[in-house]
Amino acid sequence: MRISLRSVDWIYLHLITVIVVCGFGIVGSVDNNKKRYEAATGSDHRPSALRADVPSTRSRRRSTSKGLSRSQLLELLLNTAKTGDQDVKNTPPNYNSDTATDIEVMLYVDSIDSINEANMDFTLSVLLHLQWKDSRLVSFNIGPSFGNLTFLEFDSQSIQRIWVPDIFFPNEKRASFHDVMMANQMMRLYRDGLILYISRLSMTLSCPMNLRYYPFDKQSCSVQIMSFGYAEDKLNLKWMNSTNSDAVVVNDIVELPQFEVTGSEPNRCRKKYHQSVHSCLQANFFLARNIGYYVVQMYIPSILIVMLSWISFWLTVNSVPGRISLGVLTVLTMTTQSSGVNASLPRVSYTKAIDVWMSTCLVFVFAALLEFAIVNVLSRKETLSGFTIRNVFSIPRDFEKGDQLKEQSSPLDGGPRRESFSTKRQGKRGIVYAMYLDVASRIGFPVAFLLFIMVYWLYYINVE
């Protein structure tokens, strides 16, 4: 049986039609199953250009009401501002107008690391908050694109595309930004054009100190903030939340070894550079020195050294080696201690409170040594009649005649004295007067020193 050519063509055509229809059915079934899977899991593996048309459950949470994601909205804002007639990267918002751009500043002190009296500076770590309004980024037709977003975060790369105030610190010696593990900077853009910029940095700032009452002193150190390139008519600095004390905040856990932070105060200042007045802010920090370290390390040891010199008054008049050794030792010890105290302080031209204390202690110790010299002279005189300063520098007649005087030595325990020469000349009345002077010194020195201690501490503790 023969089949015509026309019949064969019709058979092939029907077969091709059936294969095409079956292929479309299989593809449609796969797409339906994929859509049901994506709806259940919230995932979408299509390209971003296609996903923007029909956002998934997870992407809808990251997008605005206009269907733009945060990154897309950020890129749209930056590109729109870049194509405008103003330079949003290099100039302040009101650069082309006659009004100044207001920059609100807040300072959060995270830690105060050290306070150095010798260099008269202090080191601290702060979070610097800057807030200003830049309407160039959010124009009238871009604002609605925020949708339900309150603010939009900037990454570290996008921050470099936005103008940031050229803030510097006039009293700064050294400063550095923190960049572990990335640059510690944050920027937020609100829907009305308000920008909040936060940066973390460490600074070493100069702090002129008045050390007249050291170590009872109270110091005031400051952080000055000012614009470097713009005058007051172009950029105006003011404290954020200036109605209360929240403009300058110190961390509650800040603890210093020698100082205590008693308070902080936001203040204003005006500086003139190159015939232009710049807006300036100043944050003052009030510090009170802790006296405990100095009481243990300086005051108590010096009191003990002065009391040690009084032992000389209780030795016998003829205990020459012991009394000289004790007096010289205490004088050298006080001199060494005074030098050690001033080694960590700057060489100022005025007298400090610690200088008054150390000098007075040295005077008491030296007076004890001088008292022994007077006692020794009195013990060698039979009577005080005719005793003048001239007699101190005169040579006794016994030496002029070639006679030898008796040399006496008495042990510290008050035992019998040994005489090395046969000639005996005892000045009994002179020894009595010398003993009276020792007895008077046993009472007079402690009373005078106790009176000095009371006057010294009452004055410097109550002084402001």
Side-chain angles (χ1 to χ4, degrees):
M1 179 173 139
R2 300 178 61 183
I3 301 176
S4 63
L5 182 59
R6 184 178 297 273
S7 299
V8 174
D9 292 339
W10 277 105
I11 292 173
Y12 283 131
L13 182 60
H14 283 295
L15 290 175
I16 293 173
T17 303
V18 171
I19 292 172
V20 171
V21 172
C22 292
F24 277 109
I26 294 173
V27 171
S29 178
V30 171
D31 289 340
N32 292 332
N33 292 335
K34 185 176 180 181
K35 291 180 180 180
R36 286 195 297 269
Y37 172 77
E38 292 174 352
T41 60
S43 61
D44 193 352
H45 302 285
R46 293 177 297 169
S48 58
L50 297 177
R51 288 201 304 268
D53 297 335
V54 185
S56 63
T57 305
R58 184 176 300 176
S59 62
R60 281 197 298 270
R61 291 196 297 265
R62 298 179 180 178
S63 62
T64 63
S65 61
K66 296 296 182 178
L68 298 177
S69 64
R70 290 176 179 266
S71 59
Q72 291 175 342
L73 178 59
L74 177 61
E75 192 66 25
L76 176 63
L77 294 176
L78 294 176
N79 291 335
T80 303
K82 184 178 180 180
T83 56
D85 56 348
Q86 298 189 39
D87 189 358
V88 297
K89 180 180 179 181
N90 300 317
T91 59
N94 299 333
Y95 184 73
N96 295 327
S97 62
D98 296 333
T99 59
T101 302
D102 292 331
I103 308 296
E104 296 184 352
V105 182
M106 191 190 89
L107 204 62
Y108 178 80
V109 180
D110 187 48
S111 64
I112 300 178
D113 300 326
S114 64
I115 300 176
N116 193 329
E117 296 91 351
N119 298 328
M120 288 197 176
D121 57 25
F122 70 111
T123 303
L124 72 166
S125 177
V126 300
L127 291 175
L128 180 63
H129 297 66
L130 302 177
Q131 183 174 281
W132 68 97
K133 192 170 184 179
D134 194 345
S135 58
R136 299 173 299 180
L137 296 175
V138 184
S139 55
F140 68 94
N141 57 345
I142 298 296
S145 300
F146 273 79
N148 298 327
L149 296 177
T150 305
F151 56 83
L152 188 64
E153 299 92 345
F154 281 62
D155 53 52
S156 58
Q157 299 295 328
S158 300
I159 292 178
Q160 300 178 2
R161 302 167 63 181
I162 301 298
W163 176 82
V164 176
D166 57 340
I167 296 298
F168 85 107
F169 306 92
N171 61 332
E172 168 255 327
K173 291 184 176 180
R174 294 177 300 275
S176 61
F177 287 98
H178 290 256
D179 53 0
V180 179
M181 297 181 57
M182 295 186 66
N184 295 170
Q185 296 177 346
M186 186 193 75
M187 180 177 285
R188 290 178 178 177
L189 174 62
Y190 292 84
R191 58 189 309 138
D192 59 348
L194 188 67
I195 297 177
L196 175 63
Y197 173 78
I198 303 176
S199 178
R200 181 169 176 252
L201 63 158
S202 294
M203 300 180 293
T204 299
L205 304 142
S206 63
C207 178
M209 300 182 185
N210 185 0
L211 300 176
R212 284 183 170 85
Y213 302 112
Y214 176 90
F216 302 93
D217 56 329
K218 297 178 181 179
Q219 303 297 336
S220 176
C221 297
S222 62
V223 177
Q224 296 179 356
I225 306 173
M226 192 175 68
S227 172
F228 187 82
Y230 296 98
E232 192 176 22
D233 57 345
K234 286 300 179 182
L235 195 145
N236 180 38
L237 297 178
K238 61 181 181 179
W239 288 111
M240 192 184 303
N241 303 323
S242 58
T243 56
N244 49 39
S245 59
D246 294 339
V248 179
V249 181
V250 180
N251 194 348
D252 295 334
I253 64 174
V254 170
E255 186 175 353
L256 297 170
Q258 295 187 23
F259 285 91
E260 179 182 355
V261 182
T262 58
S264 60
E265 177 191 20
N267 205 345
R268 293 187 61 89
C269 56
R270 299 175 75 240
K271 291 184 177 292
K272 187 174 182 180
Y273 286 104
H274 301 291
Q275 299 181 354
S276 61
V277 178
H278 290 239
S279 178
C280 175
L281 299 179
Q282 180 172 318
N284 298 323
F285 302 97
F286 303 104
L287 308 170
R289 193 183 300 273
N290 297 324
I291 194 64
Y293 168 81
Y294 301 94
V295 171
V296 175
Q297 297 294 328
M298 289 189 294
Y299 287 101
I300 292 180
S302 58
I303 291 175
L304 295 178
I305 293 172
V306 174
M307 295 176 63
L308 182 63
S309 67
W310 299 341
I311 298 178
S312 174
F313 307 145
W314 297 87
L315 300 180
T316 59
V317 176
N318 297 320
S319 300
V320 178
R323 298 186 71 163
I324 288 180
S325 301
L326 190 60
V328 173
L329 178 63
T330 51
V331 169
L332 294 178
T333 305
M334 280 304 307
T335 305
T336 303
Q337 188 179 20
S338 178
S339 301
V341 169
N342 291 315
S344 59
L345 297 176
R347 298 177 180 177
V348 294
S349 59
Y350 48 81
T351 303
K352 304 180 289 293
I354 193 64
D355 295 334
V356 175
W357 175 269
M358 289 297 176
S359 300
T360 306
C361 291
L362 183 60
V363 168
F364 272 93
V365 171
F366 182 77
L369 181 60
L370 188 62
E371 187 269 349
F372 165 68
I374 298 175
V375 165
N376 186 264
V377 172
L378 292 177
S379 64
R380 292 186 284 110
K381 294 292 181 181
E382 295 183 1
T383 177
L384 293 180
S385 59
F387 178 74
T388 59
I389 299 298
R390 180 182 177 183
N391 296 335
V392 176
F393 301 98
S394 63
I395 300 176
R397 295 180 180 180
D398 297 333
F399 281 99
E400 295 179 356
K401 297 178 181 180
D403 296 338
Q404 293 181 340
L405 292 178
K406 176 187 67 175
E407 181 180 345
Q408 299 177 348
S409 63
S410 299
L412 296 179
D413 56 358
R417 296 177 298 181
R418 295 178 299 175
E419 298 180 358
S420 58
F421 300 96
S422 60
T423 305
K424 298 181 180 180
R425 289 182 178 273
Q426 297 181 355
K428 294 182 179 180
R429 298 200 58 175
I431 293 178
V432 172
Y433 287 123
M435 294 176 64
Y436 280 146
L437 182 58
D438 276 343
V439 172
S441 299
R442 295 172 189 174
I443 301 174
F445 273 72
V447 171
F449 189 64
L450 182 61
L451 182 63
F452 162 71
I453 292 176
M454 294 175 59
V455 173
Y456 178 88
W457 284 87
L458 288 176
Y459 174 77
Y460 282 107
I461 287 179
N462 296 325
V463 72
E464 292 293 337

